[in-house]
Amino acid sequence: MGYEGFINQKIEEIKNKVGNGKAVVALSGGVDSSVVAVLAHRALGENLEAYFIDDYLRKKEEYEFVREIFARVGINVKLCDVKEEMLMALEGVSDNTEKRPIFRKVFYNTFGKLVQQSGAKCFLQGTNKADLVMFGKGQLQHNVGIPFEEYGIEKVIESLTELYKPQIREVARELGLPSSISERQPFPGPGLLIRCLGEVTREKLDLIREGLAIAEEELAYLNPFQVVVAISDEKVCSMRDRAEPNKYILIVRAVESKDAMTARAIVPSQGLKAKLEERFMSISDKVGRVIWDTTDKPPATIEYI
Ligand code: XMP
């Protein structure tokens, strides 16, 4: 029970900063934002508004999962649907370096509006220490270095900036969150976006969303730190259609890691490889081949962009 003091201190801090007003929390279903939501709920009760943003970049059936888990602890998670807005903002953008800033703008604009609409004083998010460290090393992070005032957000509370993920998992356990949250694999804020190479389309996002659900299911027994499914921009031939190179390449990657700073890629057995290929090819006839990425970090990163 090593985090009781931390939990009480953060609850007090949230109470003091928000006062009698309302606050909005960005709840994605990851362990970080889940912990922040529970701390804030304990501090503010009904004065907390929790939102899940559906921007077409989330995992399969993610809102349903989040809503159900948090309903059990008395948090009513509202859905904010910005799918069309996000897809439109990303339309025609194939330069991978332009994607995070576009995502960031739509994401924080949305929260800016939610904060203002609800008359909230504060915005809470689950930025952790690794996000700050990685940002300091020059790695782009969607949630660090945000000009919040430009989005109409006056006060921001980030309760977890002193902790790394393994410690946040400890806090989650101590708060009584279920293991489906406390032990959850990390999933990046920009979601499927940073796994979609080249132009971002509905079709490509659908393929990786489905692929990720399959890969997570098939690889669960290996207890990986993180599973990633990415998609190519270029198209290739397959035996089903030799004449025209019109199929996508899905890329699968599973890594073991403690803290995401370094990672060892899992090399699949022949049986697992065959099973995954079969299931991936059955997602859609748009899938032409499946590639296992067994590059460690370093030299690679865990994500693609
Ligand atoms: P990389 O790809 O740098 O990822 O090896 C390390 C860890 O960070 C996650 N990641 C992100 N998380 N916003 C996030 O919230 C981001 O922009 C972002 N980029 C990478 C990644 O999933 C991995 O766990």
Side-chain angles (χ1 to χ4, degrees):
M1 289 288 150
Y3 285 92
E4 200 182 325
F6 174 87
I7 290 170
N8 291 336
Q9 181 202 336
K10 292 299 162 185
I11 292 173
E12 276 314 302
E13 246 172 57
I14 296 170
K15 271 188 194 159
N16 291 337
K17 285 187 184 160
V18 180
N20 294 324
K22 281 191 172 184
V24 164
V25 65
L27 182 49
S28 70
V31 60
D32 305 347
S33 66
S34 297
V35 165
V36 169
V38 174
L39 292 172
H41 183 64
R42 291 202 185 167
L44 308 172
E46 291 302 304
N47 276 340
L48 179 73
E49 294 205 0
Y51 286 97
F52 176 91
I53 303 278
D54 187 357
D55 50 13
Y56 217 77
L57 303 171
R58 302 300 116 200
K59 290 185 184 189
K60 189 175 173 181
E61 291 160 11
E62 190 68 350
Y63 174 59
E64 290 74 11
F65 168 78
V66 171
R67 188 183 49 189
E68 205 178 292
I69 297 258
F70 286 90
R72 284 189 231 152
V73 288
I75 302 177
N76 171 27
V77 185
K78 295 180 195 158
L79 177 67
C80 178
D81 182 350
V82 295
K83 295 197 284 283
E84 296 311 316
E85 206 179 323
M86 185 63 84
L87 287 168
M88 231 151 72
L90 291 164
E91 200 177 315
V93 178
S94 45
D95 181 340
N96 292 326
T97 61
E98 287 177 21
K99 292 176 185 171
R100 255 197 192 77
I102 294 172
F103 164 79
R104 211 153 95 151
K105 198 166 168 190
V106 176
F107 188 78
Y108 285 104
N109 249 330
T110 304
F111 273 110
K113 279 188 207 150
L114 290 172
V115 165
Q116 288 182 345
Q117 272 166 22
S118 63
K121 289 193 180 154
C122 289
F123 172 66
L124 294 113
Q125 64 170 6
T127 313
N128 68 32
K129 193 161 178 177
D131 295 336
L132 298 180
V133 170
M134 285 198 267
F135 184 76
K137 288 185 179 167
Q139 201 222 282
L140 289 169
Q141 283 293 123
H142 81 284
N143 52 356
V144 186
I146 313 295
F148 285 104
E149 328 69 55
E150 283 177 25
Y151 297 109
I153 300 173
E154 277 172 39
K155 236 196 243 179
V156 178
I157 304 178
E158 295 176 313
S159 302
L160 302 179
T161 50
E162 297 151 47
L163 306 183
Y164 284 104
K165 187 82 80 189
Q167 300 166 303
I168 298 171
R169 292 194 195 284
E170 287 279 327
V171 178
R173 289 178 205 122
E174 207 159 314
L175 287 171
L177 278 161
S179 60
S180 55
I181 292 283
S182 67
E183 314 312 313
R184 211 164 193 214
Q185 290 179 23
F187 186 68
L192 303 176
L193 179 67
I194 57 179
R195 301 172 178 179
C196 187
L197 301 174
E199 198 184 344
V200 182
T201 63
R202 212 180 275 267
E203 180 176 69
K204 285 163 81 180
L205 293 171
D206 288 345
L207 293 177
I208 48 177
R209 186 180 353 267
E210 201 56 48
L212 182 63
I214 292 171
E216 282 190 343
E217 187 188 316
E218 293 293 341
L219 291 159
Y221 76 99
L222 293 169
N223 196 21
F225 176 80
Q226 201 166 355
V227 175
V228 170
V229 175
I231 191 162
S232 66
D233 198 31
E234 296 297 314
K235 293 193 184 155
V236 293
C237 289
S238 77
M239 289 291 283
R240 285 198 291 223
D241 189 354
R242 279 211 103 120
E244 213 188 328
N246 63 358
K247 313 280 187 206
Y248 291 108
I249 306 171
L250 285 184
I251 307 158
V252 195
R253 173 166 180 64
V255 298
E256 284 166 355
S257 174
K258 261 209 204 97
D259 52 12
M261 303 307 251
T262 60
R264 181 167 292 250
I266 294 172
V267 178
S269 65
Q270 278 300 329
L272 178 59
K273 193 177 95 51
K275 183 85 189 287
L276 249 282
E277 272 168 19
E278 189 193 329
R279 288 196 65 189
F280 270 40
M281 300 300 271
S282 71
I283 296 173
S284 150
D285 61 4
K286 295 277 177 184
V287 181
R289 81 192 51 185
V290 182
I291 294 182
W292 274 92
D293 175 354
T294 55
T295 324
D296 293 337
K297 172 183 179 175
T301 51
I302 294 175
E303 301 291 343
Y304 269 77
I305 292 170

